[in-house]
Amino acid sequence: MEIPPRRLRLKSRAAVSAVSEPWTILVVDDDSQVLEMTQIILRDMEFEGRRFRCVAAASAAEAAAQLDQSPDIPVMLLDVVMETPDAGLRLVRRIRDEMKNGQIRIILRTGQPGDAPERDVVVGYDINDYKSKTELTAQKLYTALVGALRAWRDIATIARLNTELSSLNASLEQRVVERTRQLEDMVEALGRSKQRAETALARESEAKRQLRQFLSMVSHEFRTPLAIIDSAAQMLEMRAAKADPGSLPRLATIRGGVQRLLGLIDTCLADEQLDSGTMVIHEQSFDPMALIEVTLTQHRIAAPSHRFRTEGESNLSVWGDPGLIALALNNLIGNAVKYSPEGTDILVSAHQHDAGEIVIAVADHGIGIPEDDLSGIFERFHRASNARGVSGSGIGLHMVRQIVEMHGGTVSVDSRQGEGSCFTVRLRPPPDDPQIIF
C-alpha cells in the first residue's frame, strides 16, 4: 500500500524528531490566547530537521525563573506590556545586565507599538527583533525564529570556541610556566656543570703544569747520576777486559739499564710536550741509515742476546727532526727487544718507495699482537692483552704516532700473534729547496 505524501512527510518528521532534540522557544505573554495560538502555529514547523517546543510564561517573573533553570534557551518571544507597561523591557535589562545572558535571542512582540516605539526600543535595549502582533503572521514568525536561531547557533559556537580557546590558553600558559621552570632548572644545572667543568679544567691545567715541572726535575736530577753510573760502568769495562772478563756481561747489563731509564725519561718528556702542543721540531735533511746505526749501538749494548740486522739503500735522505725521529725509532726497537725472545733477530730497514717517500721498518719474531688489539695499539696507555708481565708505560707507540704525524708521515703495524710484528714508518724526502721549513 502506497503511503500518501503528507503522511510520508509527517513520518519523516517523526523519525527526525525521535533523534533530534526540538528547538526550545520561550513564549512570554500574559494573554493565554496568544500563548495557545503561538503553540499551535509552531507545532507543525521545523528547522534543520528539528521541531519547535514552546515553554510558556505568563509574566516577566515566570520568564526569569525559567531562564534561571534553563539559561541555554536559544530564543524568547517577549510581550512588552504585561503586569506593568514596561515589564518586558525590564526583563530584557535583567536578562542582559543581571543574569549576564548575552546568548538568548529576544524578539519583542507588542500589541501597542505606541507605548514602546520601535526605534527607541531597538536603540535603547539589547534585543534582536521588534514585531507588532498584528503583522506577525505564521510565515513572518517562522522567518524571525529561523533568523534568531541561526544567530544563537553562531553565538553559541563562538562562545564554545572562546571557552575552548580560553581553556587552551590557560593550558598553554601553564605549560609555559612549567617549561620556563624546567628551563630555569636546566640553566641552573648547566651553570653548576659549567662551574664543575671549569674547576676540573683548572685542576687539570694545574696538574699538567706540575707534571711538566716534575718531568723537568726528573730529567735534570736523574740524568746526572745516570751519566755518572754509565761513565763508571765504562771505566769498569775497560779494567775488567784485562783483569776480570767474566764481569763484562754484568757491566753491560748495568749500562743497558741506564740506557733504558734514559730512554724512558726522554719518552715521558716528549709525550708530555707532544700532548700539550709545546713540542718544537727542527727539520733538516739527514741520512736514515746513519741514524739507525747510532740507535742500534745503544741497543746492542743493552740487549747483547738479540741479533740486530740492518738493510737499506745508500744515499737515502729524510726531511725531519733527527732527534725526534731517533726517539720514535728507539721506542720501536725497544719494543721489539722487549717482546721477542733472546737469540732472535731484529731487522731494521730503510728504503725509498716508488712514490718518493722513505720507508723505515722494524721487524721482530716476538709474541705478536692479538687481532683485537691492533685497532687501538697506538692509543695512549693502551697495552695488548698478551703484554701482561712485561714492563711498559703504554705511551711509547702513542708518542711514535704523534712524532711521525708531526712530520707529515704515517705509521702502521702488521702483526701475527705468536709470529712477530713489523712496524712501518713512512716519512718525506727533503724538499727541492732545503731552506723551506714546514
Side-chain angles (χ1 to χ4, degrees):
M1 178 178 180
E2 183 177 357
I3 300 176
R6 175 62 180 173
R7 292 183 60 189
L8 179 62
R9 184 172 67 86
L10 292 175
K11 189 172 184 179
S12 299
R13 284 182 179 180
V16 170
S17 300
V19 296
S20 302
E21 289 293 329
W23 300 104
T24 300
I25 308 299
L26 177 59
V27 183
V28 185
D29 203 302
D30 60 352
D31 190 335
S32 60
Q33 292 183 353
V34 173
L35 293 176
E36 292 177 2
M37 183 59 65
T38 303
Q39 291 176 339
I40 292 172
I41 293 174
L42 296 180
R43 184 176 56 192
D44 294 331
M45 293 182 180
E46 65 177 34
F47 171 60
E48 292 186 345
R50 297 170 62 180
R51 303 184 70 177
F52 294 90
R53 179 173 70 90
C54 289
V55 176
S59 66
E62 289 185 20
Q66 286 286 351
L67 289 176
D68 279 334
Q69 296 179 0
S70 304
D72 57 344
I73 293 176
V75 180
M76 177 172 63
L77 294 174
L78 176 62
D79 188 14
V80 175
V81 181
M82 291 181 290
E83 58 264 45
T84 62
D86 61 347
L89 298 180
R90 289 177 178 274
L91 179 59
V92 172
R93 295 285 193 197
R94 182 177 179 182
I95 291 171
R96 300 303 193 203
D97 298 340
E98 297 179 17
M99 303 176 71
K100 305 299 181 184
N101 189 338
Q103 295 187 24
I104 187 171
R105 302 295 86 193
I106 300 176
I107 301 175
L108 282 183
R109 296 193 304 178
T110 180
Q112 304 172 17
D115 293 341
E118 181 176 354
R119 176 177 295 183
D120 296 340
V121 172
V122 170
V123 172
Y125 295 85
D126 184 7
I127 64 172
N128 307 104
D129 205 349
Y130 184 99
K131 299 293 184 182
S132 172
K133 292 182 179 180
T134 57
E135 65 173 339
L136 198 59
T137 63
Q139 183 59 45
K140 288 185 178 182
L141 177 60
Y142 179 78
T143 301
L145 288 176
V146 168
L149 287 172
R150 284 175 173 165
W152 175 85
R153 181 183 58 192
D154 293 341
I155 291 174
T157 301
I158 293 173
R160 284 196 302 272
L161 286 169
N162 184 63
T163 301
E164 293 174 0
L165 285 175
S166 298
S167 176
L168 178 60
N169 184 61
S171 176
L172 288 175
E173 289 180 352
Q174 181 62 29
R175 290 184 183 181
V176 168
V177 171
E178 294 176 357
R179 185 57 177 166
T180 301
R181 184 170 59 252
Q182 292 175 358
L183 289 175
E184 290 174 349
D185 293 341
M186 291 174 62
V187 169
E188 184 178 352
L190 286 174
R192 293 194 298 269
S193 298
K194 180 183 178 182
Q195 185 176 3
R196 289 195 295 268
E198 290 175 347
T199 302
L201 181 60
R203 291 175 179 173
E204 181 182 0
S205 299
E206 176 62 19
K208 287 185 176 180
R209 186 187 66 79
Q210 293 180 2
L211 176 61
R212 286 193 293 270
Q213 289 182 345
F214 174 76
L215 291 176
S216 178
M217 180 273 294
V218 168
S219 175
H220 176 74
E221 296 296 332
F222 280 24
R223 285 182 187 277
T224 299
L226 287 173
I228 294 173
I229 294 173
D230 190 53
S231 297
Q234 290 184 55
M235 293 179 63
L236 290 174
E237 279 183 334
M238 290 186 291
R239 295 178 181 179
K242 297 179 180 180
D244 187 13
S247 63
L248 289 176
R250 292 193 294 274
L251 293 173
T253 301
I254 293 174
R255 294 197 65 194
V258 170
Q259 294 302 320
R260 284 196 297 273
L261 187 55
L262 287 172
L264 180 60
I265 292 173
D266 290 338
T267 298
C268 290
L269 282 172
D271 182 73
E272 193 281 327
Q273 291 175 343
L274 288 167
D275 189 61
S276 62
T278 59
M279 175 68 73
V280 178
I281 63 175
H282 303 280
E283 293 179 305
Q284 64 184 57
S285 177
F286 64 91
D287 181 358
M289 288 305 300
L291 185 67
I292 290 172
E293 290 296 341
V294 172
T295 305
L296 285 179
T297 299
Q298 302 173 2
H299 288 281
R300 286 190 175 105
I301 295 173
S305 59
H306 286 77
R307 295 190 297 270
F308 297 92
R309 297 191 300 112
T310 61
E311 290 181 0
E313 304 174 19
S314 59
N315 301 321
L316 292 179
S317 186
V318 170
W319 182 256
D321 187 322
L324 290 177
I325 298 300
L327 183 59
L329 186 60
N330 182 65
N331 271 274
L332 292 178
I333 296 173
N335 279 350
V337 171
K338 283 196 301 183
Y339 297 110
S340 59
E342 295 182 357
T344 57
D345 290 345
I346 295 175
L347 174 63
V348 185
S349 61
H351 65 276
Q352 188 165 20
H353 194 267
D354 294 340
E357 61 185 0
I358 307 302
V359 179
I360 301 175
V362 178
D364 64 61
H365 299 281
I367 62 175
I369 303 171
E371 185 176 355
D372 292 342
D373 289 312
L374 286 174
S375 60
I377 199 66
F378 291 103
E379 298 299 325
R380 197 176 192 185
F381 302 124
H382 179 86
R383 301 198 69 200
S385 58
N386 61 342
R388 295 184 181 89
V390 181
S391 61
S393 62
I395 63 175
L397 290 179
H398 175 72
M399 182 205 65
V400 169
R401 183 179 67 178
Q402 287 185 297
I403 290 176
V404 172
E405 290 180 350
M406 282 183 65
H407 286 77
T410 61
V411 59
S412 60
V413 60
D414 181 20
S415 183
R416 301 288 188 278
Q417 189 171 3
E419 298 180 12
S421 303
C422 179
F423 287 84
T424 303
V425 174
R426 292 175 171 81
L427 299 170
R428 299 175 298 173
D432 294 335
D433 183 357
Q435 300 301 317
I436 296 178
I437 302 298
F438 289 87

